[in-house]
Amino acid sequence: MAGGNGKSGGRRHPVLLWVALLAFDIGFVVILAPTATLQRFLHDQQTLTVAMTGTSAAREIDLMGARWFRDTLIRTDAISDMQRWTDPHRVSGGTPFNETVARVRGVLQARLNAVWWLFYVAFYRAAVIAVWLPYAIPVLAAALWDGWIRRRISKWRFEFSSPMRHRYASRGAGGLVLLAAMIPVLPLPIPPLVIPFALGILAVTARFWVASIQKRV
C-alpha cells in the first residue's frame, strides 16, 4: 500500500507542467523582457519564415496574424483602455504621492507594451500553424481512420493490444498537443517547417493510439 501511494505521489501531470512553463514564459516577458527585444525577436521570426516558406506565404501569415491581433485587441479597445489607465501624464499635481503614482504608471505602461508585443508574436505564430492546418487535418483524419480499421482487424483476429504501446502513443500525442499550444509564446525563433514535421508525428502517434485501444470482447 505504501509503495503504491509513493508511486502515484511521485507522478507529475503533464498539463500542470505545461501550465507552469507557460506561466513562467509569460511572467518573464511581463517582468523583464524589453519591448525592443520582442520587436527584434519578431523580426527574426519573420525573416526565418520568409526564408523557409517564400514571400507569398510569409505575406499571408503576416496579414492573418495582424488581422487577429487587430480584431482581438485593437477593435475591442483593450489596448487603448489599458494605455489610458496607465498613462503617467494623466496624473495631475506635483505632490510626492502623485509623482510616485506617475512613476508606477510609467512602469506598468512599459510592461504592457511588452505584453502587447508578446500577443502579436503569439498571433503571428498561431497564423503559422493555421497555414498548415488545411493540409494537416486530412492527414490526421486518415491516420485516425487507419488506426480504427487496424483496431477492428486485430479485434476480429483476436490479436493482443499492447497497453504499453497505447500508453506511449497517448503520452506522445498529448505532449505534441501541449507543445503546439505553447509554440506561440516560446522565446526563440522557430523554423516554420517544424510545424508540419510535428503534425506528421502527431498523426503517426494518433494512429498508434487508436489502433492500440484496449478491446472488449
Side-chain angles (χ1 to χ4, degrees), residues 82-106:
M82 294 301 294
Q83 292 292 99
R84 184 172 62 255
W85 293 338
T86 58
D87 186 2
H89 299 96
R90 293 175 63 88
V91 179
S92 58
T95 64
F97 176 77
N98 287 342
E99 291 177 356
T100 301
V101 171
R103 284 195 294 269
V104 171
R105 283 192 171 191

Side-chain angles (χ1 to χ4, degrees), residues 166-194:
H166 179 73
R167 182 167 72 245
Y168 283 132
S170 177
R171 290 181 178 179
L176 285 171
V177 170
L178 293 179
L179 179 61
M182 195 172 179
I183 281 178
V185 293
L186 286 178
L188 70 162
I190 297 177
L193 295 183
V194 168

Side-chain angles (χ1 to χ4, degrees), residues 115-155:
V115 171
W116 304 139
W117 277 101
L118 178 64
F119 270 109
Y120 196 94
V121 171
F123 282 123
Y124 182 86
R125 289 273 185 77
V128 175
I129 297 175
V131 166
W132 289 104
L133 287 182
Y135 309 99
I137 291 176
V139 174
L140 181 60
L144 292 174
W145 177 254
D146 182 68
W148 177 254
I149 294 300
R150 175 60 187 167
R151 179 182 181 274
R152 298 289 295 178
I153 293 174
S154 63
K155 182 178 180 180

Side-chain angles (χ1 to χ4, degrees), residues 46 49-51 53-67 120 124 127-128 131:
Q46 291 173 328
T49 302
V50 172
T53 64
T55 305
S56 178
R59 178 62 176 169
E60 180 182 353
I61 292 170
D62 278 331
L63 293 176
M64 188 183 303
R67 182 174 68 251
Y120 196 94
Y124 182 86
V128 175
V131 166

